[in-house]
Amino acid sequence: MRMYSFVSHGFHGDFIVVEADLRKGFPGFDVVGLPDSAIRESRERVRSALRNTGASVPQKRVLINLAPASIRKTGSQLDLAIALVISLAQQVAAGEVPPVQDIPVLVVGELALDGSVVPIQDVHAAIAAAQDHGCSMVIVPRQGEGPLPDLVYEVSTLHEAVQAVKQLLAGSISFSVERYPAPQYEGDLPTFDIVAGLEGVQNALSVAAAGGHHALLFGPPGAGKTLCATCFASLLPPPDDLLQQEILRIRSSLGESVPNGELKRAVNLLPITCPRESFPIEVAKSHGGVLIVDEISRMSKGILEQLREVCDRRSTTMRAARKSSEFPAIFQMIGTMHACPCGELGLPDGRCSCSLAAIQRYWRKLGAGLLDRFAIRFPVDPTMDSEIDDLDLSLDAAYDRQKRRYREVAPEIRVNADLMHAVTLRNAFMDESTLKTIAGRLEGRASFRGILLTYTVARTVADLLDESLIGELAIETAIDLRRFGTYDFYWRSF
C-alpha cells in the first residue's frame, strides 16, 4: 500500500511516495530510502502513537520504503504518513477496509507519543505539490493556517487522519478542485490621506505602483520621503491567485502563519545594518509587496550589489536542510536618500555647500548598475511645482488595461515593468516608432536598459491616462520622472 508525503527544502521540496509492506516474520520495523536520523527515530514515535490511539501495533515485519530512493529524506514531517499507511495496511489485511494499493492522499505532520499531530512549517508547499500531482486529499496538522483550499483536511490526532482516509475511500466525503479562497486583506496600511501636499510625489508613486516600477525618492531631511514610501503599498491592488499562493508558501517556509485568512501585504523595511546572511530572508518576505530601502546611500556595498542582482534574477537563494532553495523575490523597491552628502541640498535657504564633484561621488555610492534600475527618480520637496502634479491619473484604469493586454496572450506579464524580463515577448508589446522617439530624446543620456525602462514608464502613464496609444505627454512625463541622478542632480535653482 502506498500514500504520499512531502519533504520541504525551503520554497521547493520533494514529493515522496510512502510504501508499507507487512509480512510474516520476527517483529521489526525498518525504514529504507535514505532516511535521516529524525526519520529513523520516527519508528518509536509511530509505535507509541499507534498504541496510545487504540490501534494495534503490528506483530509482523514492517518495511517502509520512501521513494524516490535516491533522494535523501530529512525531518519529522513524514511521521503521520508512515503511521497512517501502517494502520490502513493492517485494516486492509483484516478486511475492515476495501483492498487498495494506491491512496491518492498526501499527508504531512509530526506525531507526538500520545498520537496527537504536531504543527509543522511549509504546509503550503506541500499543498501545492499535492495539487500538482493530482492528489484527492491533503491531510495537514490543525494549526490555524489560512486560507486553505477545499481539498485540505486538518487533523489533531492520528485517529482523525485514519477516519478521514476511510471516509474518502468509502466515498462519504469528496473535495472540489478549488485552489485558494480569497483572503481577507487587513486594512491597516497608512494611506496618502496622512500626507499634506506632495501631490507630485503621490502621482509619481502612482505611476510606480500601476506599472510595477522601482522608485527612488530623494530630498532634504524631514521632507516626507520615508512617510511617502510607507504609504506606497496602499496604492497596490490585491495579488492574483498565483501570487497569493507564492506569498503563502514563502511565509509558511519561513515559519510565519496566516491566521484566520488575514493575509497582510508584504511591506518590509530593509535595515541599514542588515547582515548579508539575513538579506535573502528580507527580500523573500517582500515577494509580491514592497521593499523599502531607507537611506539607501548608507547601505554597504555588498548589500547594494545583492539588491542589484536580486532585481535582475527576481529570486534569491537560501539554504534549508543542507540544500539550496530558490525563493521568488519579485517586489517593488522604494529607495530613499538625501540629495547630497550634507543632506541640505533642496532646502529653500540654499544652505548646501557641497561641490558638484562631492555630489557626484555621493550618488555613485549606489553604483551605476543599481541606479540604472530605478525607473523613477523623484525629488521630495513640498515647495516645488511639477507638471506631474496636475495629471489626472486613474489607477483602476491602468490595472484594467494591463490585465486586458497581457492576461490572455502573456499571463506571465502582470504589469508593464515585467516587459523588462520577458525578453522573448516584449517586442510584441513595444511599438518600435515610440521606442525610437524615446531613444532619440535620451541619446547619450541613458543606457539601452534606461531607454526600455523609460518606454515601460511611458506605457504606464498612458494606461493611467486611459489612453491606448503612448502620446507625447506620456513620453515627456516618463523622461521627466527618470532624469535625476545620472546627469542632473539639482532640481531647484537658487
Side-chain angles (χ1 to χ4, degrees):
M1 177 180 288
R2 73 174 64 91
M3 297 180 71
Y4 303 94
S5 192
F6 183 80
V7 173
S8 172
H9 307 302
F11 186 76
H12 302 284
D14 298 320
F15 186 78
I16 304 298
V17 180
V18 182
E19 296 178 298
D21 180 49
L22 278 62
R23 61 189 185 278
K24 294 180 179 180
F26 189 79
F29 192 157
D30 294 313
V31 181
V32 299
L34 287 182
D36 71 346
S37 297
I39 296 176
R40 285 194 294 269
E41 291 173 353
S42 70
R43 294 176 296 183
E44 303 306 322
R45 292 192 296 271
V46 168
R47 281 196 185 102
S48 295
L50 288 170
R51 185 182 305 110
N52 292 324
T53 53
S56 61
V57 178
Q59 299 302 309
K60 296 182 178 182
R61 191 75 181 172
V62 179
L63 177 63
I64 298 294
N65 180 46
L66 307 177
S70 59
I71 298 175
R72 185 162 186 81
K73 323 304 187 300
T74 60
S76 58
Q77 64 268 40
L78 300 180
D79 286 5
L80 184 57
I82 292 172
L84 195 54
V85 75
I86 291 174
S87 179
L88 290 169
Q90 290 187 95
Q91 295 184 45
V92 168
E96 299 174 13
V97 175
V100 59
Q101 284 300 314
D102 184 85
I103 303 177
V105 177
L106 186 141
V107 184
V108 289
E110 178 183 335
L111 281 175
L113 299 184
D114 63 355
S116 60
V117 182
V118 180
I120 62 169
Q121 293 185 15
D122 306 330
V123 165
H124 292 280
I127 294 170
Q131 292 172 323
D132 291 341
H133 288 83
C135 291
S136 302
M137 176 196 284
V138 183
I139 296 178
V140 301
R142 183 174 285 113
Q143 55 193 56
E145 285 280 348
L148 296 174
D150 185 57
L151 83 166
V152 177
Y153 195 97
E154 295 181 282
V155 298
S156 299
T157 65
L158 171 60
H159 178 72
E160 288 182 20
V162 173
Q163 294 304 311
V165 176
K166 290 172 69 175
Q167 290 177 48
L168 179 70
L169 294 177
S172 56
I173 59 173
S174 61
F175 297 96
S176 71
V177 294
E178 175 191 1
R179 301 296 283 186
Y180 277 78
Q184 300 297 316
Y185 289 93
E186 295 191 351
D188 58 354
L189 291 171
T191 68
F192 279 93
D193 293 338
I194 65 174
V195 180
L198 300 179
E199 288 80 7
V201 180
Q202 182 174 349
N203 278 350
L205 290 180
S206 295
V207 176
H213 310 290
H214 300 312
L216 177 64
L217 303 178
F218 61 95
K225 304 181 295 295
T226 304
L227 179 62
C228 290
T230 305
C231 296
F232 174 77
S234 65
L235 302 174
L236 299 176
D240 58 28
D241 292 343
L242 178 59
L243 186 56
Q244 173 193 325
Q245 292 177 52
E246 292 173 350
I247 294 171
L248 290 171
R249 284 179 64 180
I250 290 172
R251 296 190 182 183
S252 179
S253 297
L254 297 177
E256 298 181 4
S257 62
V258 184
N260 303 318
E262 293 179 349
L263 183 62
K264 292 183 179 179
R265 293 182 187 276
V267 183
N268 281 351
L269 178 65
L270 189 66
I272 293 177
T273 57
C274 178
R276 294 194 66 164
E277 57 270 18
S278 300
F279 178 81
I281 298 175
E282 296 295 334
V283 296
K285 287 165 62 176
S286 302
H287 179 67
V290 183
L291 179 66
I292 300 174
V293 190
D294 203 18
E295 300 292 350
I296 190 172
S297 58
R298 294 174 57 190
M299 290 284 174
S300 68
K301 185 177 180 181
I303 292 295
L304 293 176
E305 183 60 27
Q306 284 185 294
L307 271 174
R308 182 200 62 76
E309 182 180 344
V310 169
C311 287
D312 285 346
R313 289 175 50 201
R314 312 186 96 188
S315 65
T316 188
T317 304
M318 279 187 267
R319 288 192 64 82
R322 300 180 182 179
K323 289 189 177 183
S324 294
S325 179
E326 286 286 321
F327 282 72
I330 303 175
F331 53 82
Q332 287 188 250
M333 178 168 53
I334 307 297
T336 71
M337 61 182 289
H338 295 150
C340 70
C342 75
E344 296 184 339
L345 178 62
L347 290 173
D349 56 5
R351 271 181 275 168
C352 176
S353 59
C354 299
S355 66
L356 178 60
I359 294 173
Q360 289 174 330
R361 284 196 300 271
Y362 175 76
W363 280 77
R364 279 199 292 268
K365 288 182 181 179
L366 272 66
L370 180 60
L371 182 61
D372 199 39
R373 285 158 176 79
F374 283 105
I376 296 172
R377 310 161 189 170
F378 200 79
V380 179
D381 183 356
T383 65
M384 186 187 77
D385 293 326
S386 172
E387 293 182 2
I388 198 173
D389 294 11
D390 303 321
L391 292 181
D392 184 17
L393 305 178
S394 171
L395 281 168
D396 290 338
Y399 293 138
D400 183 62
R401 278 190 170 275
Q402 290 175 94
K403 193 179 295 183
R404 285 188 279 113
R405 182 183 304 128
Y406 302 125
R407 173 173 286 180
E408 299 299 330
V409 182
E412 62 269 40
I413 301 177
R414 292 187 177 105
V415 289
N416 292 323
D418 291 342
L419 289 170
M420 296 296 299
H421 304 274
V423 179
T424 59
L425 295 173
R426 66 186 178 206
N427 290 338
F429 295 101
M430 287 188 169
D431 178 65
E432 189 174 348
S433 62
T434 304
L435 199 59
K436 287 182 178 179
T437 299
I438 293 173
R441 303 273 181 90
L442 295 176
E443 186 174 2
R445 295 191 294 134
S447 64
F448 180 64
R449 181 193 296 108
I451 293 170
L452 293 178
L453 281 171
T454 303
Y455 180 96
T456 62
V457 174
R459 176 67 271 171
T460 301
V461 174
D463 290 336
L464 285 162
L465 296 172
D466 205 13
E467 297 176 352
S468 57
L469 299 177
I470 301 176
E472 183 65 26
L473 176 60
I475 293 174
E476 287 300 323
T477 301
I479 292 174
D480 192 55
L481 286 172
R482 186 181 162 80
R483 69 187 179 92
F484 294 108
T486 306
Y487 297 96
D488 192 345
F489 303 98
Y490 295 90
W491 71 92
R492 178 189 284 168
S493 300
F494 300 115

